[in-house]
Amino acid sequence: ASKASREHYASSSVKIFRRVKPQQKVNKPKKPENVEDGQTEYAENLVKVQMISRNLHAQLFPQAPRSISEQQVASAKVYKDELRRHGVDIESSAPVSDVQLKLPPLRGANIEEHFHNIAKEQVQPYEELLLPLVQCEQLPKRPKRWAFHTGWTAYDPEDGTATPVDHPLEKGLVFDVEVCVSEGQAPVLATAVSTKRWYSWVSPKLTKHRLSVEQLEPLDVDTDSERPHYTLTSYQRAMLKSKKEPAAEDLGWLEQSSLNSLVEVHRLYCGGDALSKEPRNIFVEGTLEQVRQSFQSLTNYCASDVEATHRILRVLYPLYAERFPHPASLAGMLEMGSAYLPVNSNWERYIREAQLTYEDLSIEAKYHLGRRAEEACSLLLDDQYRQNLWLWDEDWSVQELKLKQPPKRKPLPTVELKDSGNTPEERRLQAKFQHLYDQQALLPARRPLLPGYPLWYRKLCRKPPAKRADEILEDDEEPWFPGASEISTGMQIAPKLLSLCWEGYPLHFEREQGWGFLVPFRSDSEGVDRLPMDQLLARCPVPEFARLSASKAESDMAFDMLPGQVEQHLGKREHYKKLSQKQQRLETQYQGSGVWCNKVLDDCCFFLKLPHKNGPSFRVGNPLSKDFLNKFAENVLSSGDPSCQAAARVIDIARMMSYWRNNRDRIMGQMVVWLDPQQLPDELTVEKSQPIAYGAICPQVVACGTLTRRAMEPTWMTASNSRPDRLGSELRSMVQAPPGYRLVGADVDSQELWIASVLGDAYACGEHGATPLGWMTLSGSKSNGSDMHSITAKAVGISRDHAKVINYARIYGAGQLFAETLLRQFNPTFSASEAKAKAIKMFSITKGKQVYSSYEASRLAIQRNRTVAEVFHRPNWQGGTESAMFNRLEEIATGSQPRTPFLGGRLSRALEADTGPDQEQRFLPTRINWVVQSGAVDFLHLMLVSMRWLMGSHVRFCLSFHDELRYLVKEELSPKAALAMHITNLMTRSFCVSRIGLQDLPMSVAFFSSVEVDTVLRKECTMDCKTPSNPHGLRIGYGIQPGQSLSVAEAIEEAGGNDVSQWDWIKKS
Amino acid sequence: MEGNTPSCCNSIGHDFVPWLLTWAQQFRNNFQKLVKDHPRKAKCPTLLKHQSTCPAPTSNSLFGVKGPTLHLTTDFLVEPHRALEHFYNMQRESKIWWMRLSSNPSRYRIVPCDLAEDLNPKDYQAIDIRTSYGDAGEVTVEQLSLVRVVDDKDFRLPDARTGETVQPTVIRSVIELETATCALLLDGCDHGRDSQSLLLHRVLAPYQCGIACVESDSELSADLADLGLHLKHVLNHAGLRLSEGSGLFSTKDASHLAEHLLETDMLGIPYTLVINEQTLRNGLMQLRSRDTRLAETIHISDVPDYLLNIFKN
């Protein structure tokens, strides 16, 4: 309430005074009558946002009964006016049904205490193990000699006596494992230390004892990637890697940062001599035998890494505890590190089918290209290739087959023919032409390949086998067949054979510039020697921009007409200089996406490079690569030969294959731990005729792998959704719950948008939905056009989908220029000025305007000989739907010690170090992004804690991708787990709003829109995941039925009622 | 195994289910024959092939085959727990087989057949392999179906790996030979090239090779004819199918040769050996290809091995 009484938009330049209209009573949706004890459950706040049902509020915010002061009513009028000004109709939202739930009692006086207490409880067992290690100043003495025994060995701290043990005797260990890369991914040896003694572990593989099947699975990710709390921006990472002399403004953060290797981290936190990583090479390059031979020194190396890790832990943990004070952060991280993906025999089938489909498709593409190549050969006849827009610059030279001079005196040796014919006539003719066969001896020792064929084609062919067809052994590698057998889509010839065009101009390859295209600037072909100018002009007339420039300056025209003379009269450099000036003019007029590179061919056309995603200085090596495939859909890249269906098909194939090609190594490299059939429960082994294997993948999650502490993992976290044109994209659905289990999970609905908007709401108004962005996020709907994206789209005049992308880009920190680029990318018809105008409009509607410009401010400050910060406050955003949000985000982001809004986690020291007044703007977009994303990470950690509290050991954490959470649970408990997910959402959001000073929660965000109860890990439980490698879909191809999608009401129903406090394990605790 | 009982599993819509339930007599006979005559081969997985005449050919939108037609039926008897996997593999392999013979491999596709709702897709599935000719229409060239046999004690085989007796699942492939042949012929014509070549795959071409003599000096023409004849002997001997038409082609005129080659292209003859006077001196000749329309110089001592390599499947 105190916040609500603040003056809102104090310095707003827009103040609207008008009479508040009498409230409209007509068309008001009927509020659901959910009456209990004579009280209705329905509640709404001052700006008509529906709030959580009364019973829920009473349970979650017991300390803050709902009440409205007169002051609040007064300020509500201001909010409503502002909302109306931005086109928000607060009467437009329809109420949703109330929810009645009996939650387990909070652990503490309020929701904040509750989460603190349950998280503390959850991390306590770990802290009990961790703290003694952190406090341990002196580790036990390392044994002098390591025992070469399979399995675990414990060492007496006094005399180093080795004793075999089943497992380490203590639970708190610092350990390191070593993998012999050439032998697979399983470790071959390990060392560990507790506060009491040292241990070593040796794989049976290393001692050659094959009796034990014991395998050590790393309990956590490998040591080089597990230290999380000092992440960097990509710029910083690049700087650290480059070893360049740092610039002065970089020194601040450089003192606080390192790259993520043990050596670097140790240097940063412990200093001293650099760690030696020399012995590691044996693990990376050597064989098991070499590891065996150097066993003592390698185990010592491993142990010294353990010691180094311990030294780091001693420094790092207190730092961590100080900077991340809330126990939910550690609890969440521990959970994140325990990801577990159940798989079965279908995993192998998936890989097999994806690989086979991939091979089939590449054969098909190859076949098409081969056919095109054969067809193109005939262009050699009458030099037709000179008129071909794509193949004119290939090497069409032809080789002859010539016989050597016969020896003067000696006759040629007689060639023995196996078969001289059946009839006398046949034998006669055989004898007659025997002398021709004898000339075999005159053939060159190295026979030219395909004499008579052009060189480019010959390069695509293989030499036929020397042996006769029937003599070739079956196991000879690849069978030979005639034609362009070596062709592939990756070759330089492929785009030419497919007659590809960019923006309608034929593609052309230049060694230095890579792929580009030809744009004519002359409308005649006189004097053009090699290039098929007539054909080019017939296909693409000189474009307007090039024509204009030519006619405008007649001297240029004349200049172009006399290329020979020009070269004689001008030095080469001047010639180019002149062209370059001309080009400069042209560049401003050319509207396409090609890149000028100051290159003119045959004095008749420009060569423009294809745009590379990394910028104009890069050369495009293959237009059939992933980055360009979408351009075909946009028709920017197309085949210039409409009769060539092959081009369209080859492009389709390339598109289908790209996902698998880019991901298969990671996917096939997943380490599946298959369960021993004897370990399986009986019900899974009864049906012997169906030997299904069961196993699991432990994804190598780096719990806080990024600057914003989001988790990182290369395969699963970036897994694409299943798409019909992406081979292998059914990946996620191949994570399959074992029989009797379900995967339960949900996506947090527009998580980051809500976090950003609620920060603005709380800060500016102290009321949910009181800022335009807040209201649109909570109550706007796509169906009646009142959500954020629809409103922006309407205001600017673009499609909702495009508005959505740009809206998110802005919230992630992108500026007006970026929006401009996106607009033009989406709408190629927009002119530059049109796109600019739209971007400006969009920004002034949404982000608003700054009170003063920073340029103006620094000018004034300099006049007074002061710094900007001394003279001015930070400039405020005003008048936009999102101004409040940006003001809040910038306030947090520019603070000297930025903290996440929910759990109070600090920003990486690498970025925190840079807070001088001049540095403020330097990493601002990154820091703003950090506030929202890191807030989302807090949100996730809180959810993990809440789920654990509600479900205890009845759920197993599977995986989380940013805003998605999945658990494995027994089938009969799956409805309860689904309900627990809904409640987790409710409680987590309640905690978050409480932390930023709000004591209520809107109904629209209180629960997940749905929780999926499914047998496989697909995005939505009804997706059939048809892909080229899964053409029959999951239901028919794999016999997998659709799952269930439960709303909170359905979950309550399925879970057997709304009294959660009566669940067995909750009652007991 | 030969038989004449019509097997009616081809039109999946109506006849599929009866075939499943009543078990075509043909199949039963074949199965019993397998168990009786080839007990060592009667293990799962195995296969039965038979040809039969079907009075009513299937219809397609492109052409009609006047019945009766020949059906090539292959029944694969596979382990039930791996049946789906086998079935999908077989679909893939069959499709690839057709694709390899095509002038445009992308014209083939697998089309699942709609089966009655009450058939469990685990037990019954059927697909067509269809080839499409642009807007003109489609032809089904092969039909594959999977049937998990209901409990039938006369129909059991030992599993080749475990020895355990199992009820095999049947995967049936049916190819209507006349239709398939026409489809392949159409495929050779429908290629979108300027030339009117018949692009039959080289292993399918009725004539694999032709011989053309280019004379310029009449004194040598007899020798050249002899050389042509000799090459004919050699190629025939090697088992290559030689186009002869009205004897060996011979001309003095280069444009006449071009016309002749155009004609052989339209007949779908993949290669023509072109010999001339130079060949009589040094044994060098041209091997002209229908697909590239270019000629490669080879030596007489390369004949017939080089050609055999080319035509080896």
Side-chain angles (χ1 to χ4, degrees):
Chain A
S2 64
K3 277 188 185 157
S5 60
R6 276 185 10 201
E7 198 185 340
H8 312 287
Y9 294 98
S11 48
S12 173
S13 53
V14 195
K15 280 206 172 146
I16 301 163
F17 298 96
R18 73 166 87 125
R19 282 228 307 277
V20 179
K21 278 187 200 161
Q23 291 218 332
Q24 293 176 330
K25 289 266 157 72
V26 278
N27 289 338
K28 201 167 179 184
K30 200 169 169 269
K31 281 156 195 167
E33 300 283 320
N34 195 343
V35 181
E36 191 160 287
D37 303 335
Q39 260 198 323
T40 168
E41 281 294 330
Y42 180 86
E44 63 180 27
N45 74 356
L46 292 165
V47 287
K48 300 212 168 283
V49 172
Q50 184 184 354
M51 292 286 132
I52 47 172
S53 311
R54 276 177 202 285
N55 73 86
L56 299 176
H57 188 265
Q59 294 177 72
L60 291 164
F61 300 96
Q63 80 290 5
R66 282 168 172 158
S67 68
I68 300 170
S69 70
E70 274 178 36
Q71 221 174 8
Q72 284 172 301
V73 176
S75 42
K77 280 182 189 152
V78 183
Y79 308 149
K80 287 181 190 168
D81 287 343
E82 182 69 4
L83 289 173
R84 224 166 278 133
R85 195 174 71 80
H86 284 285
V88 169
D89 173 15
I90 60 170
E91 306 292 336
S92 69
S93 69
V96 297
S97 307
D98 277 298
V99 172
Q100 194 91 42
L101 270 175
K102 182 124 199 293
L103 304 172
L106 293 185
R107 291 276 177 81
N110 56 41
I111 188 85
E112 292 188 35
E113 281 185 23
H114 166 77
F115 267 97
H116 194 276
N117 292 339
I118 61 171
K120 191 83 201 154
E121 245 167 59
Q122 287 175 24
V123 293
Q124 199 191 1
Y126 295 95
E127 278 181 340
E128 277 169 13
L129 299 175
L130 194 57
L131 290 177
L133 280 168
V134 173
Q135 283 147 8
C136 172
E137 280 172 37
Q138 190 64 54
L139 286 177
K141 222 171 78 197
R142 220 200 276 180
K144 288 214 166 60
R145 234 189 129 61
W146 301 98
F148 192 61
H149 287 312
T150 299
W152 286 103
T153 307
Y155 297 90
D156 188 284
E158 299 302 322
D159 55 13
T161 320
T163 318
V165 285
D166 289 342
H167 51 77
L169 308 168
E170 294 80 23
K171 281 188 171 167
L173 297 167
V174 179
F175 77 96
D176 187 18
V177 299
E178 302 293 347
V179 174
C180 181
V181 177
S182 65
E183 283 294 316
Q185 297 159 296
V188 291
L189 63 86
T191 54
V193 69
S194 70
T195 52
K196 300 247 163 44
R197 56 182 69 77
W198 277 90
Y199 297 93
S200 66
W201 177 89
V202 179
S203 160
K205 241 195 229 167
L206 201 60
T207 55
K208 281 188 187 156
H209 290 298
R210 298 212 172 259
L211 297 171
S212 160
V213 288
E214 182 191 7
Q215 295 268 302
L216 183 71
E217 285 309 324
L219 300 170
D220 206 335
V221 289
D222 76 302
T223 44
D224 279 5
S225 49
E226 75 177 297
R227 290 167 208 83
H229 317 293
Y230 45 87
T231 33
L232 307 168
T233 64
S234 53
Y235 164 74
Q236 291 178 325
R237 200 170 303 119
M239 272 303 299
L240 284 175
K241 279 189 176 161
S242 75
K243 298 194 175 127
K244 267 196 299 201
E245 199 57 39
E249 74 264 23
D250 287 329
L251 285 173
W253 63 262
L254 275 173
E255 279 168 21
Q256 304 296 336
S257 348
S258 78
L259 289 169
N260 267 16
S261 74
L262 183 61
V263 177
E264 292 294 315
V265 175
H266 190 264
R267 179 190 60 75
L268 176 67
Y269 289 101
C270 308
D273 291 341
L275 294 182
S276 163
K277 277 282 169 184
E278 208 53 43
R280 190 168 74 161
N281 292 341
I282 296 186
F283 289 116
V284 178
E285 289 150 16
T287 61
L288 266 191
E289 187 49 43
Q290 284 169 304
V291 174
R292 235 171 257 136
Q293 279 165 8
S294 313
F295 176 74
Q296 290 301 329
S297 74
L298 289 177
T299 313
N300 266 324
Y301 157 77
C302 181
S304 61
D305 274 4
V306 168
E307 285 168 345
T309 307
H310 178 253
R311 283 195 294 276
I312 294 167
L313 178 75
R314 280 181 46 78
V315 182
L316 198 53
Y317 187 77
L319 207 56
Y320 167 78
E322 181 203 321
R323 297 177 72 84
F324 297 88
H326 201 284
S329 294
L330 181 59
M333 279 172 58
L334 288 167
E335 190 90 307
M336 283 298 284
S338 67
Y340 178 92
L341 304 173
V343 293
N344 55 37
S345 312
N346 285 338
W347 175 255
E348 289 178 319
R349 176 176 153 197
Y350 155 72
I351 287 179
R352 205 163 49 231
E353 290 193 4
Q355 194 57 24
L356 287 173
T357 313
Y358 181 83
E359 282 162 19
D360 288 357
L361 286 172
S362 51
I363 292 173
E364 191 180 330
K366 190 169 163 169
Y367 196 99
H368 278 295
L369 288 172
R371 286 264 173 192
R372 290 288 288 183
E374 282 173 354
E375 203 180 336
C377 276
S378 63
L379 294 173
L380 183 66
L381 303 169
D382 308 324
D383 290 354
Q384 291 170 61
Y385 62 85
R386 288 179 181 280
Q387 275 96 57
N388 187 286
L389 278 174
W390 292 271
L391 295 164
W392 57 274
D393 66 336
E394 283 299 320
D395 191 336
W396 286 85
S397 65
V398 165
Q399 244 178 327
E400 293 295 330
L401 177 60
K402 283 187 187 137
L403 296 183
K404 291 181 281 194
Q405 283 298 319
K408 294 234 169 69
R409 289 177 201 149
K410 270 199 301 196
L412 291 169
T414 305
V415 174
E416 286 288 336
L417 294 168
K418 282 180 210 147
D419 186 353
S420 49
N422 299 333
T423 64
E425 170 73 351
E426 282 178 25
R427 283 193 286 273
R428 178 184 73 82
L429 290 173
Q430 172 79 62
K432 176 171 177 180
F433 296 112
Q434 177 68 42
H435 70 283
L436 293 180
Y437 287 93
D438 294 347
Q439 298 200 32
Q440 189 184 21
L442 303 178
L443 286 167
R446 281 179 60 119
R447 288 280 294 269
L449 180 61
L450 290 171
Y453 278 75
L455 181 67
W456 67 263
Y457 184 78
R458 280 181 273 145
K459 282 185 187 161
L460 305 173
C461 300
R462 252 167 72 200
K463 251 190 151 66
K467 289 174 272 190
R468 267 181 68 121
D470 49 3
E471 289 167 359
I472 297 171
L473 293 170
E474 296 236 331
D475 56 343
D476 274 0
E477 351 99 60
E478 280 216 21
W480 179 87
F481 57 90
S485 58
E486 304 304 285
I487 201 164
S488 76
T489 51
M491 286 178 155
Q492 226 176 70
I493 190 85
K496 296 186 175 190
L497 289 173
L498 298 173
S499 313
L500 295 188
C501 289
W502 183 269
E503 292 167 6
Y505 300 105
L507 288 200
H508 177 76
F509 184 82
E510 286 284 319
R511 187 173 294 279
E512 275 167 41
Q513 282 86 6
W515 281 98
F517 54 97
L518 302 176
V519 181
F521 60 77
R522 273 173 55 184
S523 42
D524 64 289
S525 60
E526 215 176 296
V528 181
D529 203 21
R530 286 187 66 211
L531 213 139
M533 191 61 184
D534 288 329
Q535 282 70 26
L536 182 60
L537 287 169
R539 173 177 288 275
C540 347
V542 177
E544 193 69 3
F545 70 90
R547 192 196 310 275
L548 276 178
S549 79
S551 62
K552 243 189 254 165
E554 283 208 1
S555 58
D556 272 359
M557 194 69 154
F559 186 86
D560 286 332
M561 299 292 269
L562 302 163
Q565 288 172 334
V566 169
E567 276 188 46
Q568 277 173 8
H569 285 91
L570 293 170
K572 243 194 164 154
R573 252 171 92 194
E574 265 177 282
H575 178 66
Y576 281 122
K577 204 171 151 199
K578 183 118 189 178
L579 279 171
S580 147
Q581 280 168 356
K582 187 173 128 193
Q583 254 176 246
Q584 272 178 358
R585 264 207 325 275
L586 292 174
E587 283 175 31
T588 56
Q589 286 164 38
Y590 168 69
Q591 300 285 321
S593 53
V595 179
W596 292 90
C597 54
N598 203 9
K599 177 120 190 152
V600 166
L601 292 184
D602 262 17
D603 248 321
C604 66
C605 58
F606 300 119
F607 174 81
L608 272 71
K609 292 202 299 184
L610 294 186
H612 191 284
K613 68 169 164 45
N614 293 348
S617 60
F618 289 83
R619 64 197 272 289
V620 171
N622 182 7
L624 287 172
S625 65
K626 188 178 139 210
D627 298 321
F628 288 94
L629 292 170
N630 288 330
K631 301 286 175 195
F632 285 99
E634 296 163 18
N635 273 325
V636 177
L637 193 56
S638 60
S639 174
D641 179 356
S643 72
C644 173
Q645 297 156 336
R649 181 62 188 165
V650 169
I651 289 153
D652 280 351
I653 291 176
R655 188 182 293 132
M656 287 192 246
M657 297 192 348
S658 72
Y659 177 76
W660 185 247
R661 185 179 349 181
N662 294 329
N663 291 284
R664 65 175 164 190
D665 289 347
R666 282 195 292 270
I667 292 170
M668 288 158 94
Q670 290 294 304
M671 184 169 159
V672 183
V673 182
W674 293 108
L675 298 173
D676 189 337
Q678 286 159 350
Q679 297 171 329
L680 294 175
D682 288 344
E683 62 265 28
L684 293 188
T685 48
V686 168
E687 223 181 325
K688 271 192 191 143
S689 59
Q690 293 202 25
I692 297 175
Y694 295 94
I697 294 168
C698 296
Q700 306 267 292
V701 176
V702 185
C704 289
T706 68
L707 178 76
T708 58
R709 297 179 299 133
R710 272 188 168 188
M712 281 216 307
E713 194 279 335
T715 311
W716 298 96
M717 300 227 166
T718 54
S720 114
N721 282 331
S722 155
R723 290 240 307 252
D725 63 348
R726 271 191 199 156
L727 199 172
S729 62
E730 67 271 32
L731 170 69
R732 285 186 42 157
S733 64
M734 292 300 127
V735 173
Q736 303 182 342
Y741 284 81
R742 289 288 181 272
L743 290 162
V744 175
D747 291 11
V748 184
D749 309 272
S750 49
Q751 187 191 42
E752 293 186 348
L753 192 58
W754 178 74
I755 290 175
S757 72
V758 80
L759 287 174
D761 279 350
Y763 166 77
C765 312
E767 185 78 51
H768 287 288
T771 68
L773 173 68
W775 198 94
M776 290 186 260
T777 308
L778 296 171
S779 299
S781 87
K782 194 176 160 185
S783 57
N784 67 6
S786 61
D787 71 322
M788 172 192 188
H789 309 312
S790 306
I791 287 182
T792 326
K794 226 181 317 173
V796 186
I798 52 173
S799 81
R800 184 183 177 278
D801 285 342
H802 292 166
K804 185 176 171 180
V805 176
I806 301 176
N807 282 341
Y808 270 100
R810 189 176 55 250
I811 289 166
Y812 292 149
Q816 196 168 300
L817 214 61
F818 187 76
E820 220 175 292
T821 320
L822 278 180
L823 277 170
R824 288 202 59 193
Q825 199 180 313
F826 292 146
N827 308 281
T829 53
F830 283 177
S831 71
S833 55
E834 206 176 342
K836 192 181 176 119
K838 282 189 189 293
I840 290 176
K841 186 167 183 201
M842 184 184 262
F843 267 71
S844 76
I845 291 174
T846 53
K847 198 166 182 172
K849 292 214 160 69
Q850 266 183 320
V851 191
Y852 59 81
S853 83
S854 52
Y855 171 74
E856 212 41 26
S858 45
R859 201 175 57 84
L860 290 170
I862 289 167
Q863 277 177 0
R864 286 162 183 76
N865 207 13
R866 302 270 182 85
T867 65
V868 179
E870 282 173 302
V871 185
F872 292 97
H873 286 296
R874 240 174 4 89
N876 248 310
W877 296 97
Q878 284 186 3
T881 50
E882 297 162 8
S883 298
M885 175 197 83
F886 277 110
N887 287 334
R888 178 63 185 144
L889 292 182
E890 288 186 5
E891 190 177 284
I892 298 174
T894 55
S896 64
Q897 291 190 349
R899 285 179 182 277
T900 61
F902 307 135
L903 294 180
R906 294 261 295 272
L907 177 62
S908 159
R909 293 195 304 154
L911 278 176
E912 212 173 63
D914 273 314
T915 46
D918 306 326
Q919 295 280 350
E920 193 171 274
Q921 294 293 320
R922 192 145 177 248
F923 293 111
L924 188 60
T926 312
R927 285 167 166 228
I928 286 182
N929 195 25
W930 169 84
V931 177
V932 177
Q933 257 195 34
S934 210
V937 172
D938 284 351
F939 192 106
L940 176 66
H941 289 166
L942 287 160
M943 287 206 294
L944 291 166
V945 166
S946 174
M947 265 311 266
R948 183 62 60 216
W949 172 67
L950 283 165
M951 293 301 291
S953 57
H954 299 283
V955 289
R956 185 175 201 326
F957 172 68
C958 280
L959 195 64
S960 160
F961 327 80
H962 309 332
D963 59 349
E964 191 186 342
L965 198 52
R966 301 279 152 151
Y967 287 93
L968 187 65
V969 60
K970 276 210 163 114
E971 193 175 348
E972 61 267 26
L973 287 179
S974 60
K976 287 202 164 68
L979 183 54
M981 284 289 294
H982 279 298
I983 294 173
T984 285
N985 186 63
L986 173 73
M987 299 190 84
T988 303
R989 297 221 196 206
S990 296
F991 172 89
C992 291
V993 299
S994 174
R995 290 285 292 189
I996 54 175
L998 301 172
Q999 302 299 335
D1000 208 337
L1001 186 70
M1003 195 65 171
S1004 62
V1005 294
F1007 300 100
F1008 289 115
S1009 51
S1010 78
V1011 174
E1012 314 285 299
V1013 178
D1014 205 346
T1015 51
V1016 302
L1017 192 80
R1018 56 192 144 184
K1019 191 97 182 155
E1020 278 152 30
C1021 64
T1022 49
M1023 291 195 328
D1024 204 30
C1025 301
K1026 274 191 186 158
T1027 74
S1029 44
N1030 180 25
H1032 307 280
L1034 290 178
R1035 195 179 69 80
I1036 291 181
Y1038 285 89
I1040 290 165
Q1041 300 307 315
Q1044 276 180 300
S1045 182
L1046 301 178
S1047 69
V1048 63
E1050 289 163 325
I1052 290 173
E1053 168 118 22
E1054 297 264 331
N1058 61 11
D1059 193 350
V1060 178
S1061 65
Q1062 289 306 306
W1063 289 359
D1064 289 349
W1065 58 90
I1066 287 178
K1067 219 163 49 176
K1068 271 182 220 153
S1069 62
Chain B
M1 293 174 195
E2 296 263 344
N4 285 318
T5 326
S7 77
C8 301
C9 65
N10 44 4
S11 68
I12 296 305
H14 301 291
D15 304 338
F16 185 66
V17 179
W19 176 77
L20 305 173
L21 303 178
T22 60
W23 283 98
Q25 191 57 40
Q26 173 75 61
F27 178 79
R28 277 181 184 276
N29 294 346
N30 288 341
F31 181 74
Q32 276 152 19
K33 207 166 162 193
L34 169 78
V35 175
K36 211 175 99 202
D37 300 352
H38 308 279
R40 284 180 54 207
K41 286 188 180 166
K43 277 179 190 161
C44 204
T46 186
L47 68 87
L48 297 165
K49 251 180 203 254
H50 70 102
Q51 237 180 53
S52 54
T53 316
C54 195
T58 51
S59 60
N60 66 67
S61 55
L62 274 175
F63 52 82
V65 177
K66 283 186 184 161
T69 53
L70 267 183
H71 280 193
L72 181 64
T73 305
T74 315
D75 288 318
F76 299 87
L77 309 179
V78 300
E79 314 94 306
H81 66 270
R82 293 185 60 204
L84 274 185
E85 205 181 321
H86 277 297
F87 186 56
Y88 297 137
N89 264 341
M90 223 162 278
Q91 291 178 17
R92 215 194 114 241
E93 277 168 15
S94 297
K95 185 176 149 216
I96 280 277
W97 186 87
W98 289 101
M99 281 165 66
R100 282 184 193 279
L101 297 177
S102 173
S103 73
N104 173 9
S106 301
R107 73 166 89 249
Y108 289 93
R109 61 192 194 109
I110 290 174
V111 185
C113 300
D114 290 328
L115 294 181
E117 278 293 314
D118 55 331
L119 295 179
N120 183 344
K122 256 184 149 174
D123 298 343
Y124 309 101
Q125 284 193 29
I127 60 111
D128 286 350
I129 296 179
R130 285 197 208 153
T131 160
S132 97
Y133 303 93
D135 299 330
E138 284 195 329
V139 177
T140 298
V141 289
E142 185 174 355
Q143 297 172 317
L144 287 171
S145 48
L146 170 140
V147 177
R148 190 187 289 258
V149 175
V150 277
D151 214 24
D152 182 342
K153 59 180 185 314
D154 294 337
F155 181 57
R156 286 176 179 276
L157 283 179
D159 187 309
R161 269 189 308 184
T162 62
E164 213 177 322
T165 303
V166 293
Q167 188 109 67
T169 295
V170 185
I171 298 173
R172 167 168 287 200
S173 145
V174 181
I175 300 173
E176 193 172 272
L177 294 176
E178 290 80 356
T179 304
T181 309
C182 292
L184 284 170
L185 203 56
L186 268 181
D187 173 88
C189 305
D190 179 35
H191 49 63
R193 292 195 183 185
D194 318 335
S195 63
Q196 293 192 325
S197 313
L198 172 61
L199 294 186
L200 282 182
H201 191 273
R202 57 184 182 276
V203 302
L204 291 180
Y207 297 125
Q208 294 171 315
C209 196
I211 300 171
C213 310
V214 183
E215 315 163 22
S216 55
D217 190 331
S218 52
E219 280 174 40
L220 290 169
S221 64
D223 288 344
L224 206 54
D226 271 356
L227 182 59
L229 197 58
H230 167 66
L231 287 172
K232 181 186 141 184
H233 293 155
V234 173
L235 294 181
N236 276 335
H237 238 261
L240 291 164
R241 302 188 290 273
L242 196 62
S243 153
E244 289 173 275
S246 51
L248 288 176
F249 173 81
S250 172
T251 181
K252 288 188 178 176
D253 187 351
S255 70
H256 197 187
L257 174 70
E259 261 170 52
H260 170 73
L261 291 174
L262 214 58
E263 199 178 313
T264 61
D265 288 349
M266 279 153 69
L267 288 171
I269 303 168
Y271 290 95
T272 305
L273 276 176
V274 183
I275 54 175
N276 55 25
E277 279 163 34
Q278 190 206 4
T279 319
L280 287 175
R281 286 194 297 274
N282 55 17
L284 292 179
M285 59 185 85
Q286 305 290 312
L287 180 66
R288 191 265 185 191
S289 146
R290 172 196 71 191
D291 297 347
T292 62
R293 292 158 75 194
L294 292 187
E296 171 191 5
T297 312
I298 61 169
H299 190 252
I300 190 168
S301 55
D302 298 328
V303 184
D305 291 4
Y306 186 51
L307 285 162
L308 284 173
N309 261 331
I310 287 176
F311 285 104
K312 179 182 55 136
N313 195 357

